[in-house]
Amino acid sequence: MTSIERVLGGADASYTPEDDTVRVEVPLNICDKQVPPAAQSILGRCEYSYRPLHEEYIEKTGVTTWEYFRSWVEGWDPFDDEGVFRRLLRRRDQLIMPESTDEDWSRHANFMVRHVGCGHAPPEYYVGYGYYYCSIYGAKLNLRLSMEGQLWLRQARRLLQVNIEDGLDDNMRGDQIEVNSQRYPNRSVAMSVAQYELEVDNTTFKTFAFNTHVPAYLDAGLAGLRLDDLAKIGGQPNIEEWLDGETWSQAIGSGAEVYGEKGSKGILLEAAEITGEVLVDTANDAANMGRDVGDAVENALRSLVRHLR
Protein backbone atom coordinates (compact mmCIF):
# COMPACT_ATOMS: atom_id res chain seq x y z
CA MET A 1 0.00 0.00 0.00
CA THR A 2 1.44 3.37 -1.06
CA SER A 3 1.58 6.50 1.11
CA ILE A 4 -1.31 7.96 -0.90
CA GLU A 5 -3.40 4.84 -0.30
CA ARG A 6 -2.74 5.12 3.45
CA VAL A 7 -4.47 8.52 3.68
CA LEU A 8 -7.37 8.23 6.13
CA GLY A 9 -9.80 10.56 4.38
CA GLY A 10 -10.31 13.70 2.33
CA ALA A 11 -12.85 16.39 1.48
CA ASP A 12 -13.38 19.16 -1.03
CA ALA A 13 -12.76 22.74 0.15
CA SER A 14 -14.33 25.98 -1.06
CA TYR A 15 -14.55 29.63 -0.01
CA THR A 16 -17.47 30.38 2.30
CA PRO A 17 -18.84 33.48 4.05
CA GLU A 18 -17.11 34.45 7.29
CA ASP A 19 -20.23 33.72 9.29
CA ASP A 20 -20.27 30.09 8.06
CA THR A 21 -18.53 28.34 10.95
CA VAL A 22 -19.79 24.83 10.32
CA ARG A 23 -16.82 22.53 9.98
CA VAL A 24 -16.59 20.16 7.06
CA GLU A 25 -16.83 16.57 8.19
CA VAL A 26 -14.16 14.29 6.77
CA PRO A 27 -15.10 10.60 6.96
CA LEU A 28 -12.17 8.41 7.96
CA ASN A 29 -11.82 5.08 6.28
CA ILE A 30 -8.92 2.80 5.55
CA CYS A 31 -8.31 -0.93 5.43
CA ASP A 32 -4.59 -1.61 5.35
CA LYS A 33 -3.97 -5.36 5.56
CA GLN A 34 -0.21 -5.11 5.14
CA VAL A 35 1.24 -5.97 8.55
CA PRO A 36 4.58 -4.25 9.20
CA PRO A 37 7.19 -6.20 11.19
CA ALA A 38 7.60 -5.54 14.90
CA ALA A 39 10.78 -4.13 16.38
CA GLN A 40 13.10 -6.77 17.81
CA SER A 41 13.26 -4.84 21.08
CA ILE A 42 9.56 -5.47 21.85
CA LEU A 43 9.71 -9.24 21.37
CA GLY A 44 9.46 -11.08 24.67
CA ARG A 45 7.36 -8.40 26.36
CA CYS A 46 3.64 -8.73 27.04
CA GLU A 47 3.18 -5.24 25.56
CA TYR A 48 4.03 -6.70 22.17
CA SER A 49 0.39 -7.79 21.94
CA TYR A 50 -1.41 -4.96 23.73
CA ARG A 51 -0.82 -1.96 25.97
CA PRO A 52 -3.47 -1.34 28.65
CA LEU A 53 -4.55 2.10 27.45
CA HIS A 54 -8.31 1.50 27.53
CA GLU A 55 -10.07 2.31 30.80
CA GLU A 56 -12.57 -0.49 30.23
CA TYR A 57 -9.76 -3.04 29.96
CA ILE A 58 -8.19 -1.81 33.20
CA GLU A 59 -11.52 -2.18 34.98
CA LYS A 60 -11.89 -5.76 33.77
CA THR A 61 -8.47 -6.99 34.90
CA GLY A 62 -9.78 -7.50 38.43
CA VAL A 63 -12.32 -10.16 37.46
CA THR A 64 -12.01 -13.47 39.25
CA THR A 65 -12.24 -15.97 36.41
CA TRP A 66 -10.63 -16.33 33.03
CA GLU A 67 -13.98 -17.43 31.59
CA TYR A 68 -15.58 -14.10 32.54
CA PHE A 69 -12.69 -12.07 31.14
CA ARG A 70 -12.68 -14.03 27.89
CA SER A 71 -16.42 -13.49 27.51
CA TRP A 72 -15.90 -9.75 27.91
CA VAL A 73 -13.09 -9.67 25.33
CA GLU A 74 -15.30 -11.42 22.78
CA GLY A 75 -17.85 -8.58 22.92
CA TRP A 76 -15.50 -5.64 23.44
CA ASP A 77 -15.08 -2.92 20.79
CA PRO A 78 -11.79 -1.05 21.44
CA PHE A 79 -12.82 1.68 18.97
CA ASP A 80 -15.56 2.81 21.38
CA ASP A 81 -13.01 4.56 23.59
CA GLU A 82 -12.71 7.83 21.67
CA GLY A 83 -9.94 9.17 23.88
CA VAL A 84 -7.65 6.22 23.20
CA PHE A 85 -8.61 6.12 19.53
CA ARG A 86 -7.76 9.81 19.06
CA ARG A 87 -4.47 9.31 20.89
CA LEU A 88 -3.51 6.47 18.57
CA LEU A 89 -4.58 8.36 15.44
CA ARG A 90 -2.37 11.29 16.42
CA ARG A 91 0.58 8.89 16.48
CA ARG A 92 -0.53 6.93 13.44
CA ASP A 93 2.49 7.73 11.28
CA GLN A 94 4.79 6.36 13.97
CA LEU A 95 2.61 3.35 14.80
CA ILE A 96 2.43 2.03 11.23
CA MET A 97 6.17 2.26 10.56
CA PRO A 98 8.02 -1.06 10.17
CA GLU A 99 9.84 -1.96 13.40
CA SER A 100 8.24 0.98 15.21
CA THR A 101 9.58 1.73 18.69
CA ASP A 102 6.83 4.22 19.54
CA GLU A 103 5.83 4.08 23.21
CA ASP A 104 2.21 3.27 22.29
CA TRP A 105 3.04 0.54 19.77
CA SER A 106 1.57 -2.91 20.15
CA ARG A 107 0.17 -5.35 17.63
CA HIS A 108 -3.30 -4.31 18.84
CA ALA A 109 -2.65 -0.56 18.43
CA ASN A 110 -0.96 -1.08 15.07
CA PHE A 111 -4.04 -2.95 13.85
CA MET A 112 -6.40 -0.22 15.07
CA VAL A 113 -4.68 2.55 13.09
CA ARG A 114 -4.52 0.41 9.95
CA HIS A 115 -8.22 -0.49 10.04
CA VAL A 116 -10.32 2.64 10.51
CA GLY A 117 -14.01 2.62 9.66
CA CYS A 118 -13.76 -0.61 7.68
CA GLY A 119 -15.46 -2.98 10.13
CA HIS A 120 -12.39 -5.02 11.07
CA ALA A 121 -11.59 -5.59 14.75
CA PRO A 122 -8.21 -6.61 16.19
CA PRO A 123 -7.85 -10.34 16.86
CA GLU A 124 -9.15 -11.15 20.35
CA TYR A 125 -5.94 -13.10 20.91
CA TYR A 126 -3.93 -9.89 21.27
CA VAL A 127 -5.78 -8.79 24.41
CA GLY A 128 -7.29 -12.00 25.76
CA TYR A 129 -4.26 -14.26 25.52
CA GLY A 130 -1.34 -12.24 24.22
CA TYR A 131 -1.42 -9.59 26.95
CA TYR A 132 -3.79 -10.57 29.76
CA TYR A 133 -2.66 -14.16 30.03
CA CYS A 134 0.97 -13.26 29.37
CA SER A 135 1.05 -10.71 32.19
CA ILE A 136 -1.09 -12.61 34.71
CA TYR A 137 0.48 -16.01 34.00
CA GLY A 138 4.01 -14.67 34.08
CA ALA A 139 3.59 -12.57 37.23
CA LYS A 140 2.13 -15.43 39.26
CA LEU A 141 4.39 -18.14 37.93
CA ASN A 142 7.82 -16.55 37.59
CA LEU A 143 8.75 -16.34 41.28
CA ARG A 144 7.65 -19.93 41.87
CA LEU A 145 10.01 -21.42 39.30
CA SER A 146 13.65 -22.39 39.58
CA MET A 147 16.19 -20.28 37.70
CA GLU A 148 15.98 -22.74 34.82
CA GLY A 149 12.20 -22.49 34.87
CA GLN A 150 12.32 -18.69 34.84
CA LEU A 151 14.65 -18.79 31.84
CA TRP A 152 12.19 -21.11 30.10
CA LEU A 153 9.35 -18.68 30.79
CA ARG A 154 11.25 -15.75 29.27
CA GLN A 155 12.32 -17.78 26.27
CA ALA A 156 8.83 -19.19 25.70
CA ARG A 157 7.27 -15.73 25.84
CA ARG A 158 9.70 -14.42 23.25
CA LEU A 159 9.36 -17.43 20.95
CA LEU A 160 5.56 -17.23 21.08
CA GLN A 161 5.83 -13.74 19.63
CA VAL A 162 8.58 -14.65 17.17
CA ASN A 163 6.33 -17.41 15.83
CA ILE A 164 3.44 -14.97 15.39
CA GLU A 165 5.75 -12.57 13.55
CA ASP A 166 6.95 -15.36 11.27
CA GLY A 167 3.38 -16.39 10.48
CA LEU A 168 2.27 -12.84 9.74
CA ASP A 169 5.31 -12.33 7.52
CA ASP A 170 4.54 -15.53 5.61
CA ASN A 171 0.98 -14.32 5.07
CA MET A 172 2.25 -11.06 3.60
CA ARG A 173 4.20 -13.10 1.04
CA GLY A 174 1.57 -15.67 0.08
CA ASP A 175 -1.00 -18.23 1.19
CA GLN A 176 1.30 -20.70 2.95
CA ILE A 177 2.31 -20.29 6.60
CA GLU A 178 5.09 -22.36 8.11
CA VAL A 179 6.39 -22.08 11.67
CA ASN A 180 9.19 -24.53 12.33
CA SER A 181 10.19 -26.11 15.62
CA GLN A 182 13.98 -26.16 15.82
CA ARG A 183 14.17 -28.92 18.44
CA TYR A 184 11.24 -31.05 17.33
CA PRO A 185 10.59 -30.69 13.58
CA ASN A 186 7.57 -32.98 13.89
CA ARG A 187 5.91 -30.23 15.96
CA SER A 188 6.25 -27.61 13.22
CA VAL A 189 3.12 -25.83 11.99
CA ALA A 190 1.84 -25.50 8.43
CA MET A 191 -1.38 -23.71 7.45
CA SER A 192 -2.94 -22.35 4.30
CA VAL A 193 -4.53 -18.90 4.69
CA ALA A 194 -5.43 -16.49 1.90
CA GLN A 195 -2.77 -13.81 1.53
CA TYR A 196 -3.31 -10.76 3.79
CA GLU A 197 -6.29 -12.43 5.52
CA LEU A 198 -4.67 -14.00 8.61
CA GLU A 199 -4.90 -11.00 10.93
CA VAL A 200 -8.41 -9.91 9.88
CA ASP A 201 -9.98 -13.35 10.48
CA ASN A 202 -10.38 -13.66 14.25
CA THR A 203 -11.08 -17.41 14.34
CA THR A 204 -8.30 -18.31 11.93
CA PHE A 205 -5.82 -16.12 13.78
CA LYS A 206 -6.64 -17.75 17.10
CA THR A 207 -6.18 -21.22 15.60
CA PHE A 208 -2.88 -20.15 14.04
CA ALA A 209 -1.62 -18.58 17.28
CA PHE A 210 -2.42 -21.60 19.41
CA ASN A 211 -0.90 -23.94 16.86
CA THR A 212 2.38 -22.06 17.29
CA HIS A 213 2.39 -22.44 21.08
CA VAL A 214 3.71 -26.00 21.09
CA PRO A 215 6.82 -25.21 18.98
CA ALA A 216 7.52 -22.20 21.22
CA TYR A 217 7.20 -24.15 24.47
CA LEU A 218 9.38 -26.96 23.22
CA ASP A 219 12.04 -24.81 21.57
CA ALA A 220 12.31 -22.83 24.81
CA GLY A 221 13.33 -26.06 26.56
CA LEU A 222 10.15 -27.37 28.19
CA ALA A 223 11.18 -31.02 27.88
CA GLY A 224 14.40 -30.38 29.80
CA LEU A 225 12.80 -28.79 32.88
CA ARG A 226 12.73 -30.35 36.33
CA LEU A 227 9.53 -32.04 37.35
CA ASP A 228 8.77 -29.53 40.09
CA ASP A 229 8.87 -26.77 37.47
CA LEU A 230 6.70 -28.86 35.15
CA ALA A 231 4.20 -29.33 37.95
CA LYS A 232 3.92 -25.59 38.49
CA ILE A 233 3.69 -24.89 34.77
CA GLY A 234 1.18 -27.66 34.19
CA GLY A 235 -1.00 -26.58 37.10
CA GLN A 236 -1.02 -22.86 36.33
CA PRO A 237 -3.86 -22.32 33.80
CA ASN A 238 -7.29 -21.67 35.29
CA ILE A 239 -9.61 -24.65 35.04
CA GLU A 240 -11.97 -22.58 32.90
CA GLU A 241 -9.33 -22.28 30.20
CA TRP A 242 -8.85 -26.02 29.97
CA LEU A 243 -12.42 -26.20 28.71
CA ASP A 244 -11.14 -24.49 25.56
CA GLY A 245 -10.22 -27.14 23.00
CA GLU A 246 -7.49 -24.93 21.53
CA THR A 247 -5.72 -24.64 24.87
CA TRP A 248 -6.09 -28.32 25.65
CA SER A 249 -4.48 -29.32 22.36
CA GLN A 250 -1.45 -27.10 23.01
CA ALA A 251 -0.88 -28.71 26.42
CA ILE A 252 -1.07 -32.29 25.23
CA GLY A 253 1.07 -31.43 22.23
CA SER A 254 3.86 -30.33 24.53
CA GLY A 255 3.27 -33.21 26.91
CA ALA A 256 4.01 -35.85 24.30
CA GLU A 257 7.55 -34.55 23.88
CA VAL A 258 8.16 -34.12 27.61
CA TYR A 259 7.09 -37.67 28.35
CA GLY A 260 9.02 -39.02 25.38
CA GLU A 261 12.24 -37.29 26.42
CA LYS A 262 12.13 -38.13 30.13
CA GLY A 263 10.38 -41.50 30.11
CA SER A 264 8.99 -43.18 33.21
CA LYS A 265 12.46 -44.03 34.56
CA GLY A 266 13.64 -40.45 34.21
CA ILE A 267 10.51 -39.20 35.94
CA LEU A 268 11.10 -41.44 38.96
CA LEU A 269 14.79 -40.53 39.21
CA GLU A 270 14.03 -36.83 38.99
CA ALA A 271 11.34 -37.06 41.65
CA ALA A 272 13.87 -38.68 43.97
CA GLU A 273 16.42 -35.98 43.16
CA ILE A 274 13.95 -33.20 43.99
CA THR A 275 13.06 -34.85 47.29
CA GLY A 276 16.72 -35.29 48.15
CA GLU A 277 17.43 -31.59 47.73
CA VAL A 278 15.05 -30.65 50.53
CA LEU A 279 16.25 -30.82 54.16
CA VAL A 280 13.83 -32.87 56.27
CA ASP A 281 13.99 -33.26 60.05
CA THR A 282 11.58 -36.09 60.75
CA ALA A 283 10.22 -39.19 59.15
CA ASN A 284 6.81 -37.52 58.93
CA ASP A 285 8.32 -34.56 57.09
CA ALA A 286 10.00 -36.95 54.68
CA ALA A 287 6.76 -38.82 54.09
CA ASN A 288 4.86 -35.59 53.52
CA MET A 289 7.54 -34.35 51.12
CA GLY A 290 7.34 -37.59 49.20
CA ARG A 291 3.59 -37.21 48.87
CA ASP A 292 4.01 -33.58 47.79
CA VAL A 293 6.48 -34.55 45.08
CA GLY A 294 4.23 -37.40 44.01
CA ASP A 295 1.32 -34.99 43.74
CA ALA A 296 3.44 -32.52 41.75
CA VAL A 297 4.51 -35.23 39.32
CA GLU A 298 0.94 -36.45 38.98
CA ASN A 299 -0.39 -32.95 38.33
CA ALA A 300 2.27 -32.28 35.71
CA LEU A 301 1.57 -35.54 33.92
CA ARG A 302 -2.19 -35.03 34.12
CA SER A 303 -1.86 -31.61 32.50
CA LEU A 304 0.83 -32.45 29.98
CA VAL A 305 0.38 -36.08 28.92
CA ARG A 306 -3.22 -36.96 29.72
CA HIS A 307 -3.85 -38.14 26.17
CA LEU A 308 -1.25 -40.92 26.60
CA ARG A 309 -3.38 -42.70 29.22
Side-chain angles (χ1 to χ4, degrees):
M1 182 172 284
T2 66
S3 58
I4 296 297
E5 292 172 322
R6 287 194 171 94
V7 173
L8 281 174
D12 294 328
S14 61
Y15 290 106
T16 60
E18 290 184 359
D19 59 352
D20 185 354
T21 59
V22 178
R23 293 185 176 183
V24 176
E25 292 188 0
V26 180
L28 303 182
N29 183 278
I30 192 170
C31 185
D32 181 1
K33 296 182 180 180
Q34 292 188 11
V35 183
Q40 290 294 310
S41 58
I42 194 70
L43 296 178
R45 296 169 53 190
C46 299
E47 291 81 4
Y48 160 85
S49 297
Y50 173 73
R51 291 183 187 271
L53 302 175
H54 296 80
E55 188 66 30
E56 189 175 359
Y57 170 85
I58 296 172
E59 292 174 355
K60 295 298 181 182
T61 55
V63 300
T64 56
T65 68
W66 163 249
E67 185 68 20
Y68 181 90
F69 183 82
R70 184 175 63 180
S71 177
W72 169 75
V73 168
E74 290 173 353
W76 179 50
D77 184 355
F79 293 97
D80 283 345
D81 191 325
E82 292 187 8
V84 172
F85 191 34
R86 289 177 183 274
R87 170 176 171 167
L88 295 179
L89 286 180
R90 284 195 295 268
R91 309 176 74 93
R92 183 172 178 271
D93 287 346
Q94 291 77 32
L95 293 173
I96 63 175
M97 288 179 57
E99 301 182 357
S100 170
T101 56
D102 187 88
E103 63 182 10
D104 281 346
W105 190 95
S106 67
R107 271 275 158 249
H108 190 273
N110 175 267
F111 185 101
M112 287 184 65
V113 295
R114 287 187 292 107
H115 297 268
V116 179
C118 66
H120 289 141
E124 295 164 6
Y125 178 92
Y126 287 155
V127 175
Y129 291 88
Y131 181 77
Y132 176 83
Y133 210 67
C134 171
S135 56
I136 299 298
Y137 185 43
K140 290 184 177 180
L141 182 63
N142 188 61
L143 294 178
R144 301 176 59 217
L145 297 175
S146 68
M147 291 183 63
E148 292 80 6
Q150 291 176 356
L151 176 61
W152 171 83
L153 188 62
R154 291 194 298 272
Q155 285 286 90
R157 186 163 53 214
R158 187 177 191 280
L159 289 176
L160 284 170
Q161 296 169 4
V162 167
N163 287 350
I164 287 178
E165 286 296 294
D166 288 347
L168 288 170
D169 182 63
D170 282 351
N171 194 236
M172 296 302 100
R173 301 171 185 270
D175 297 343
Q176 296 302 311
I177 296 174
E178 295 183 3
V179 176
N180 297 316
S181 172
Q182 301 302 314
R183 294 193 179 195
Y184 302 93
N186 61 311
R187 291 296 175 182
S188 297
V189 174
M191 290 180 65
S192 179
V193 181
Q195 188 176 17
Y196 304 124
E197 296 300 311
L198 175 62
E199 198 186 32
V200 297
D201 186 323
N202 183 62
T203 300
T204 299
F205 188 89
K206 180 185 175 186
T207 298
F208 152 73
F210 273 108
N211 283 347
T212 67
H213 278 211
V214 168
Y217 294 153
L218 294 173
D219 285 348
L222 179 69
L225 292 180
R226 300 159 45 112
L227 284 180
D228 50 347
D229 279 336
L230 285 175
K232 293 164 187 172
I233 293 167
Q236 178 68 17
N238 295 339
I239 189 64
E240 292 91 351
E241 186 181 3
W242 291 107
L243 301 176
D244 187 320
E246 299 272 10
T247 310
W248 180 251
S249 67
Q250 60 162 302
I252 62 177
S254 299
E257 305 301 345
V258 173
Y259 188 85
E261 183 160 316
K262 291 183 180 298
S264 58
K265 183 177 180 180
I267 288 171
L268 292 175
L269 289 174
E270 196 166 316
E273 177 187 346
I274 294 169
T275 306
E277 290 177 359
V278 180
L279 181 64
V280 291
D281 296 325
T282 67
N284 285 337
D285 288 339
N288 289 335
M289 181 58 64
R291 281 193 295 272
D292 289 343
V293 171
D295 289 344
V297 173
E298 179 64 22
N299 287 336
L301 293 179
R302 184 182 298 116
S303 294
L304 296 173
V305 296
R306 182 173 180 176
H307 72 303
L308 296 177
R309 298 181 179 180

